[in-house]
Amino acid sequence: MSKILFVMTGADHWTLADGTQHPTGYWAEEAVAPYEAFKAAGHEIVVATPGGVVPTVDKGSLAAEVNGGQENADRIAGVLTSATELQHPVRLEDVNLDDYAAVFYPGGHGPMEDLAVDADSGRLLTLALESGKPLGVVCHAPAALLAATKADGSNAFAGRRVAAFTNAEETQAGFADKAKWLLQDRLTEAGVQVDVSEPWAPHVIVDGNLVTGQNPASSAPLSVELLKKLG
């Protein structure tokens, strides 16, 4: 079967507008749901992070209340513990897109800190988009699209329809008034068409080879769409 590249944040904090650091990382469900779907379909997963650092899970994403109860929270934590790929990431800087059949970016607030300004990630995203290979990006991970700039300074994803974590969701999560910038606003400014749906409800947009999801609940249905494209 194929190899799928998981590009994950290497950040363990998100710097807020007042300079304080909010502890974060990747969001558990957004890594686990696709991980389980891709593995069940027989695919191999390789994790890449900036500098090859072991990614940090956002502790808040392991809470019972965001996982439908303690039982599922424990199950998700168990998957993360057993997923050896997460403990042995490769350096994002060394990734060769030719080695992979698809690329997936899980979210969490971490990507707002590092992938949003990571040139290596930006180049990889641009290549993946142009290659026609399935490219999945969910929740806050579309922040990484901001670093995908072309030689003329324009964004490689300008004109594309995407789903991403919305201003309404950031407000309800309690961070809209604390953030340096909001994802929906910044993507719109870059010329990306953000398709907004109800807060917290699954919402997936397919635009060519690009498959994006609005929030954690979108990660499982996004995985289904990505697997369809892998055939």
Side-chain angles (χ1 to χ4, degrees):
M1 298 300 284
S2 306
K3 278 207 290 193
I4 299 176
L5 181 71
F6 270 44
V7 180
M8 301 180 67
T9 177
D12 61 4
H13 67 274
W14 177 33
T15 306
L16 301 176
D18 65 0
T20 58
Q21 294 186 350
H22 171 67
T24 187
Y26 66 89
W27 197 259
E29 181 182 0
E30 296 167 27
V32 169
Y35 178 89
E36 291 186 308
F38 300 155
K39 294 283 273 195
H43 299 292
E44 181 184 343
I45 290 169
V46 175
V47 172
T49 61
V53 302
V54 175
T56 299
V57 65
D58 187 314
K59 299 294 189 292
S61 69
L62 297 175
E65 56 267 27
V66 297
N67 288 298
Q70 192 60 50
E71 185 178 345
N72 193 49
D74 290 343
R75 187 190 71 79
I76 284 178
V79 174
L80 293 179
T81 302
S82 62
T84 54
E85 297 93 339
L86 288 167
Q87 306 307 316
H88 304 284
V90 300
R91 284 163 37 92
L92 178 57
E93 303 88 312
D94 300 336
V95 164
N96 182 347
L97 181 63
D98 294 342
D99 296 336
Y100 303 95
V103 179
F104 172 69
Y105 277 65
H109 278 117
M112 300 275 283
E113 183 75 17
D114 62 352
L115 297 180
V117 293
D118 190 295
D120 293 302
S121 171
R123 279 191 292 273
L124 179 70
L125 283 165
T126 303
L127 286 171
L129 186 67
E130 293 171 349
S131 74
K133 292 181 178 183
L135 171 60
V137 194
V138 70
C139 200
H140 282 95
L145 307 187
L146 298 171
T149 49
K150 296 195 282 194
D152 63 2
S154 65
N155 191 282
F157 290 83
R160 293 288 187 143
R161 287 179 64 231
V162 306
F165 202 70
T166 64
N167 290 356
E169 287 167 323
E170 203 70 87
T171 299
Q172 291 177 23
F175 287 107
D177 59 347
K178 300 173 184 173
K180 288 182 180 178
W181 48 273
L182 297 177
L183 180 57
Q184 181 185 331
D185 292 347
R186 198 55 84 78
L187 287 170
T188 302
E189 289 165 11
V192 182
Q193 298 178 32
V194 182
D195 193 294
V196 176
S197 187
E198 289 298 309
W200 314 111
H203 181 53
V204 175
I205 294 290
V206 179
D207 183 349
N209 61 317
L210 178 64
V211 185
T212 51
Q214 181 171 311
N215 45 37
S218 307
S219 51
L222 184 154
S223 308
V224 173
E225 295 297 332
L226 210 66
L227 284 170
K228 282 184 196 171
K229 291 188 172 298
L230 274 172

